[in-house]
Amino acid sequence: DAGVIQSPRHEVTEMGQEVTLRCKPISGHDYLFWYRQTMMRGLELLIYFNNNVPIDDSGMPEDRFSAKMPNASFSTLKIQPSEPRDSAVYFCASRQSGTGDNSPLHFGNGTRLTVT
Amino acid sequence: AQSVTQLGSHVSVSEGALVLLRCNYSSSVPPYLFWYVQYPNQGLQLLLKYTSAATLVKGINGFEAEFKKSETSFHLTKPSAHMSDAAEYFCAVGRGGGYNKLIFGAGTRLAVHP
């Protein structure tokens, strides 16, 4: 399996611009997660989906952030408008429900976002 | 509420020496506990997990961790460090005893010297 695929790997944008991060989960996984990693706050869960439906978005910082999952193989995290404090590494992760070997989170390699 | 504390943001060992990375948790329910490793410019990879079965959990790359309820600890060990073990290690607890809302510790960066 190719694992969780994220694009782009790096994104540099100017303050006020719209940013869209993309994620393809592992085939067969029914949960998808978006995390943000910063030096100051560590790893934070932003939102997660189950069967394409958002279950918990309590970690989304503010209305500038939105996430969608139109189908089982694709999700986006959008920031509009972006601000310098949004600079971070954004990780997508997926898992399969249950307690088997595929149940823990499998992470993508992340998107490093820099907002200038 | 669940929380995780990793003692020591940086740990340095010599190649061949024992690796000990400390993790203490707080949980009001039987916890699910995890150790993840992150290599530079990569995502997190699961090392091992504890889900209320055996208290001594063996993971990949020769790592293991022991769940000690009385000490609320889940320390990660490896008998003999290898240069390739240099990375950042994260302990995590499943909020509500599950896999979904993981709370991660701040991480411990392991350096291995020749």
Side-chain angles (χ1 to χ4, degrees):
Chain A
D1 199 309
V4 176
I5 299 173
Q6 292 186 245
S7 64
R9 286 299 310 272
H10 302 273
E11 176 80 45
V12 180
T13 191
E14 292 184 348
M15 182 174 62
Q17 296 299 305
E18 177 180 296
V19 175
T20 300
L21 312 181
R22 296 172 175 81
C23 175
K24 176 179 168 56
I26 293 173
S27 177
H29 284 193
D30 53 339
Y31 283 89
L32 184 139
F33 303 77
W34 284 101
Y35 278 85
R36 179 172 67 176
Q37 185 179 38
T38 61
M39 289 292 290
M40 292 298 295
R41 300 175 67 90
L43 274 157
E44 304 173 279
L45 175 63
L46 300 178
I47 184 172
Y48 77 93
F49 297 81
N50 179 219
N51 291 322
N52 314 335
V53 176
I55 302 300
D56 188 331
D57 65 354
S58 59
M60 296 286 262
E62 48 198 275
D63 291 345
R64 298 184 297 105
F65 286 69
S66 63
K68 294 182 179 180
M69 192 165 186
N71 57 62
S73 59
F74 184 67
S75 177
T76 60
L77 178 67
K78 185 176 294 186
I79 308 172
Q80 166 64 20
S82 58
E83 297 182 3
R85 61 193 168 116
D86 301 330
S87 298
V89 181
Y90 291 82
F91 288 103
C92 178
S94 68
R95 64 173 288 259
Q96 191 173 71
S97 54
T99 57
D101 288 342
N102 281 318
S103 295
L105 297 181
H106 291 71
F107 283 80
N109 285 334
T111 294
R112 182 175 296 276
L113 174 65
T114 303
V115 183
T116 61
Chain B
Q2 281 84 6
S3 67
V4 171
T5 302
Q6 291 185 241
L7 300 176
S9 59
H10 290 80
V11 170
S12 181
V13 301
S14 298
E15 192 174 20
L18 171 72
V19 175
L20 171 60
L21 305 182
R22 300 177 187 273
C23 172
N24 287 89
Y25 70 91
S26 170
S27 177
S28 57
V29 297
Y32 282 21
L33 294 162
F34 307 83
W35 274 100
Y36 280 84
V37 60
Q38 184 178 29
Y39 298 101
N41 299 316
Q42 293 187 25
L44 282 72
Q45 300 174 31
L46 181 69
L47 275 177
L48 49 82
K49 62 180 180 180
Y50 167 77
T51 57
S52 74
T55 57
L56 182 62
V57 182
K58 294 188 183 299
I60 62 172
N61 301 339
F63 284 93
E64 63 182 35
E66 186 172 9
F67 172 71
K68 292 187 176 180
K69 184 178 179 180
S70 61
E71 299 177 7
T72 61
S73 69
F74 191 57
H75 301 333
L76 181 71
T77 60
K78 182 174 180 178
S80 177
H82 192 273
M83 297 295 288
S84 61
D85 295 327
E88 189 151 22
Y89 293 79
F90 293 90
C91 182
V93 62
R95 206 179 312 174
Y99 282 82
N100 286 332
K101 299 183 76 170
L102 295 191
I103 299 173
F104 286 86
T108 297
R109 187 168 297 277
L110 175 67
V112 182
H113 300 289

